[in-house]
Amino acid sequence: MTSSPLDRLLRPQTIAVFGGREARRVIEQCDRMGFAGEIWPVHPKSDEVLGRPCYRSLSDLPRAPDATFVGVNRNLTVDIVRGLSRAGAGGAVCYASGFSEATAELADGAELQQALVAAAGDMPILGPNCYGLINGLDGALLWPDQHGMKRIEHGVAILTQSSNIAINLTMQTRGLPIAYVVTAGNQAQTSLADVACALMDDPRVTAVGLHVEGFGDLSALERLATIAGRLKKPVVVLKVGRSAQARHAAVSHTASLAGSDAVADAVLARLGIGRVQSLPALLETLKLLHVAGPLPGHSISSMSCSGGEASLMADAAVGRKVEFPALQPQQLPRLRRALGEMVTLSNPLDYHTFAWGDFTRQTEAFSAMFAGGYALNLVVLDFPRGDRCDASEWATTADAVIAATSVTGALAGLLATLPENMPEPVADRLMANGIVAFSGIDETIAAAEVAAEIGQAWNSPPPLPLLDVAPTVGEIETLTESEAKAELAACGLPVPWGLQAFSPREAAEQAERLGFPVVLKGLGIAHKTEAGAVVLNLRSSEAVSDAAAAMACDAGYLVEKMVGPPVAELIVGATRDPVFGLSLTLGAGGIFVELLEDSVILPLPTTKTEIYSAISRLRIAKLIHGYRGRPRGDLEAAVDAVAATAEYVVTNAVRLEELDLNPLMVLPEGLGVVAVDALIRRRR
């Protein structure tokens, strides 16, 4: 195990507690879990706490404690943390609230938080405004409340900013072994990613789950992903905020597609960090990762003794990156012998009840299914109520699943469709035997998808380091379309031949120079189509002059050669996310931007291979590949154009705020692409 500045705090041998009621509870919880180290209560008036002598002050302690729970008011917290840091303590949990989370109520909240961080210096602190941590491996707690954990030998770590959510998660009865629960509160100094990196080094930790309200440090997230891949310990994230798009479309269409949540999805996927959308899905995914780690593929088998359950399983995979492949020929004879002639052999498989209660036949049937080479094999089984029913035949089925995995070496999960139908003792036994005790169909399918995506990321070449450039602070300017196209053309992006004009008459003259047909555009207008500031296919000087007069555009006009009919139209853009910085958006362009909502986000920098893969994931890719006999589009030229745009964004990352190419016209194969509209906003 490598050394980390957080080691003493997370795995203490000595614990000091400051405060009254909350400090007493910390000692109670340590005693309940059998902490073998020393605990030193500190209180100016009490003589003893739970049989332990009480020290009057920090200076009276035998030596600097490894970990300290500071359960006093916010101002005194700063003083105690300063003293602990000077004394060489290992770290502290800052329980008090009233810091940066309360700036609306307390004018000095942010200032006091800065003072707390300064007082801590190099000593790690968790919080403020947090409960602290539970180490279920060593029985060490800096935790002022009850919880549902028990001592274990190995398990997952769960980290969250929310102390209440942390308590709730410890109360799970799903069979998930939890090694650590850590809350970070305001993350004033130490972030969840910092803690996760430190916990990764504990060989007893199998996987890490994060519940986060936001990512504050992109480099820490990258470091976490690197450590996870190196140590082969997967990370899964539940990030809140899907419903609140952090950015609204200000000028470009790109901004409306690239909300912060969508960018977070893309960045996490690139880093090989899984993402789930609910607390139950987080727990189920952690169970799978604890038992098996990432999956080698997306294939699943399912068996149930009900056609209704088989249908539910199949439906749950719709829209997910998991699949139920057809049974292989060599499986069919064994399944037929075990299940009889009346069972339809398929995947998902309804095995009826002909083998129910028969351990031998069920073991043979499950073994035949598990031998199909699937990444995960599921058997759907809801246990009856133990207070009213006899579950012995259900136990037989569980025994048969355990036996089948022993024979085949395959990964299996026993899936209860309702969490209350998976008793905790059963779940514990299954997990101890390497069987994932799943609860909930949707959550299980989500877990399989996440585990497979992590596995795919780990088996791919390492991604390029993320673009992490702080923007300049100058005033934002919007280039005219002609200025924007000139910059992009210099970077290798094909644009139409065009000339500027400042009157209807001059526009007509420029059209004569270009040759008809032409396109007329009003300059200085962001969404030209919606504003009536673009007219296509003008075939005479008079038509150009009339169209320009009707626009009455003060900023002038852009006259361009008309581009031939495209095979497809793309949007290519970049926007700056407040956390993740600049990323690239690809999607169906033109009038289909909002209509189809067909887009993919690429973190930067990117490669042509990644661009090709992103375009292939778009629904509009069918047009580019030649839909129903139509001409194929120039895909290679489209990839080159997107790569050139990405290079422009990376090169100009310090100043660039927003870029929008809509549409990038993909012409028939061999004819290239043309960016017929461009917008650039940047800092002066």
Side-chain angles (χ1 to χ4, degrees):
M1 189 186 304
T2 59
S3 177
S4 163
L6 289 166
D7 282 349
R8 290 174 66 194
L9 175 60
L10 296 172
R11 292 176 284 273
Q13 297 296 312
T14 57
I15 297 175
V17 293
F18 286 76
R21 182 181 61 179
E22 284 75 20
R24 180 186 179 91
R25 288 177 175 172
V26 169
I27 299 173
E28 288 175 346
Q29 296 305 323
C30 284
D31 286 345
R32 286 185 60 194
M33 205 173 252
F35 177 60
E38 297 182 59
I39 302 177
W40 304 327
V42 181
H43 196 279
K45 297 179 181 179
S46 299
D47 294 326
E48 63 88 27
V49 177
L50 296 175
R52 290 174 176 83
C54 210
Y55 298 88
R56 289 285 180 260
S57 67
L58 170 62
S59 60
D60 293 332
L61 294 178
R63 58 186 181 277
D66 291 328
T68 303
F69 181 84
V70 184
V72 298
N73 68 60
R74 64 192 191 113
N75 291 296
L76 188 54
T77 293
V78 177
D79 295 336
I80 292 174
V81 164
R82 183 180 297 110
L84 287 166
S85 179
R86 290 173 178 172
V93 168
C94 300
Y95 173 76
S97 57
F99 293 87
S100 65
E101 87 286 351
T103 51
E105 297 80 16
L106 299 170
D108 65 342
E111 181 182 344
L112 195 64
Q113 181 158 305
Q114 292 175 356
L116 176 65
V117 174
D122 294 332
M123 183 188 74
I125 59 171
L126 294 178
N129 184 37
C130 81
Y131 264 30
L133 67 97
I134 303 172
N135 174 343
L137 301 166
D138 306 306
L141 296 91
L142 287 90
W143 190 263
D145 206 339
Q146 56 186 348
H147 60 88
M149 288 173 58
K150 62 182 179 181
R151 290 289 290 268
I152 59 171
E153 295 182 357
H154 67 290
V156 305
I158 299 179
L159 294 77
T160 173
Q161 289 172 257
S162 169
S163 299
N164 196 60
I165 284 179
I167 292 175
N168 295 342
L169 291 175
T170 71
M171 303 299 177
Q172 60 87 28
T173 57
R174 296 167 178 248
L176 175 65
I178 303 177
Y180 289 93
V181 162
V182 183
T183 64
N186 293 4
Q187 302 185 88
Q189 178 216 61
T190 305
S191 71
L192 290 176
D194 294 330
V195 178
C197 288
L199 293 178
M200 285 278 185
D201 277 330
D202 191 327
R204 301 168 295 178
V205 171
T206 54
V208 174
L210 301 172
H211 165 257
V212 299
E213 297 165 20
F215 298 107
D217 187 347
L218 190 58
S219 61
L221 191 64
E222 255 187 309
R223 185 170 70 254
L224 173 60
T226 300
I227 293 172
R230 187 182 76 241
L231 298 179
K232 302 304 178 188
K233 294 187 178 182
V235 178
V236 59
V237 168
L238 167 58
K239 179 188 176 294
V240 299
R242 296 177 67 206
S243 58
Q245 193 164 313
R247 300 175 68 92
H248 294 286
V251 176
S252 74
H253 286 288
T254 300
S256 67
L257 296 176
S260 289
D261 195 67
V263 177
D265 260 348
V267 170
L268 292 173
R270 173 160 167 168
L271 294 177
I273 295 176
R275 185 177 183 186
V276 294
Q277 306 296 351
S278 69
L279 290 172
L282 176 66
L283 294 175
E284 297 308 308
T285 304
L286 285 173
K287 276 196 280 189
L288 175 56
L289 295 174
H290 167 74
V291 170
L295 295 181
H298 295 80
S299 62
I300 298 176
S301 77
S302 173
M303 299 182 74
S304 62
C305 60
S306 161
E309 290 166 343
S311 297
L312 288 173
M313 292 296 292
D315 286 351
V318 175
R320 295 279 189 183
K321 297 177 184 177
V322 297
E323 57 183 357
F324 291 100
L327 299 175
Q328 301 197 25
Q330 65 269 24
Q331 294 176 276
L332 301 180
R334 290 183 65 189
L335 286 168
R336 179 63 67 207
R337 286 194 300 270
L339 298 177
E341 297 297 325
M342 297 181 63
V343 173
T344 301
L345 301 182
S346 62
N347 183 26
L349 173 59
D350 167 19
Y351 65 86
H352 294 222
T353 56
F354 301 116
W356 183 252
D358 187 327
F359 172 79
T360 302
R361 289 181 65 188
Q362 284 190 319
T363 300
E364 174 61 16
F366 298 154
S367 298
M369 180 63 93
F370 296 176
Y374 306 103
L376 175 63
N377 301 275
L378 299 172
V379 175
V380 182
L381 187 70
D382 283 66
F383 282 79
R385 293 177 59 125
D387 58 342
R388 300 177 185 173
C389 304
D390 177 8
S392 57
E393 291 185 339
W394 283 258
T396 298
T397 302
D399 291 341
V401 171
I402 294 172
T405 58
S406 178
V407 169
T408 62
L411 174 64
L414 204 61
L415 166 57
T417 61
L418 300 175
E420 57 268 30
N421 294 348
M422 176 62 73
E424 187 174 23
V426 173
D428 288 340
R429 177 170 178 260
L430 291 168
M431 297 286 285
N433 281 277
I435 311 295
V436 188
F438 285 116
S439 297
I441 291 176
D442 290 338
E443 291 82 1
T444 300
I445 297 298
E449 179 182 54
V450 169
E453 291 294 291
I454 295 174
Q456 182 173 302
W458 284 7
N459 289 324
S460 301
L464 295 170
L466 290 169
L467 180 65
D468 191 8
V469 178
T472 187
V473 293
E475 180 185 350
I476 294 179
E477 63 175 350
T478 301
L479 303 188
T480 66
E481 183 179 345
S482 55
E483 291 170 338
K485 284 180 173 175
E487 289 218 357
L488 294 168
C491 294
L493 187 71
V495 299
W497 182 23
L499 298 169
Q500 281 189 252
F502 297 94
S503 68
R505 178 180 176 181
E506 187 180 1
E509 292 171 352
Q510 299 288 44
E512 291 281 357
R513 293 186 180 94
L514 291 173
F516 297 99
V518 299
V519 177
L520 179 70
K521 299 179 179 181
L523 293 175
I525 300 171
H527 298 304
K528 296 179 179 63
T529 302
E530 292 88 332
V534 56
V535 182
L536 306 176
N537 207 29
L538 297 171
R539 296 182 174 274
S540 68
S541 300
E542 183 180 4
V544 172
S545 179
D546 291 346
M551 283 183 196
C553 187
D554 296 335
Y557 308 92
L558 178 62
V559 187
E560 292 182 332
K561 281 288 291 182
M562 186 77 182
V563 177
V567 171
E569 295 182 352
L570 296 175
I571 180 173
V572 184
T575 52
R576 184 179 295 280
D577 182 86
V579 174
F580 298 109
L582 289 163
S583 59
L584 203 69
T585 301
L586 306 178
I591 64 172
F592 296 112
V593 173
E594 281 87 7
L595 188 63
L596 292 184
E597 295 183 347
D598 180 24
S599 63
V600 176
I601 292 176
L602 281 172
L604 293 171
T606 189
T607 65
K608 287 188 177 181
T609 299
E610 291 171 337
I611 292 168
Y612 180 88
S613 174
I615 292 176
S616 69
R617 297 201 301 272
L618 297 172
R619 293 195 294 274
I620 203 170
K622 291 181 179 179
L623 292 179
I624 300 175
H625 291 305
Y627 185 64
R628 291 193 173 183
R630 294 179 53 160
R632 294 174 60 87
D634 201 328
L635 178 58
E636 184 176 345
V639 171
D640 289 342
V642 175
T645 307
E647 183 62 30
Y648 174 85
V649 173
V650 171
T651 303
N652 295 275
V654 172
R655 295 179 61 197
L656 188 67
E657 282 294 311
E658 205 167 346
L659 179 147
D660 197 66
L661 307 179
N662 183 34
L664 176 71
M665 288 189 169
V666 182
L667 303 177
E669 199 166 25
L671 298 182
V673 298
V674 182
V676 299
D677 196 4
L679 178 143
I680 292 176
R681 297 174 71 233
R682 66 187 182 191
R683 300 279 178 178
R684 294 185 186 277

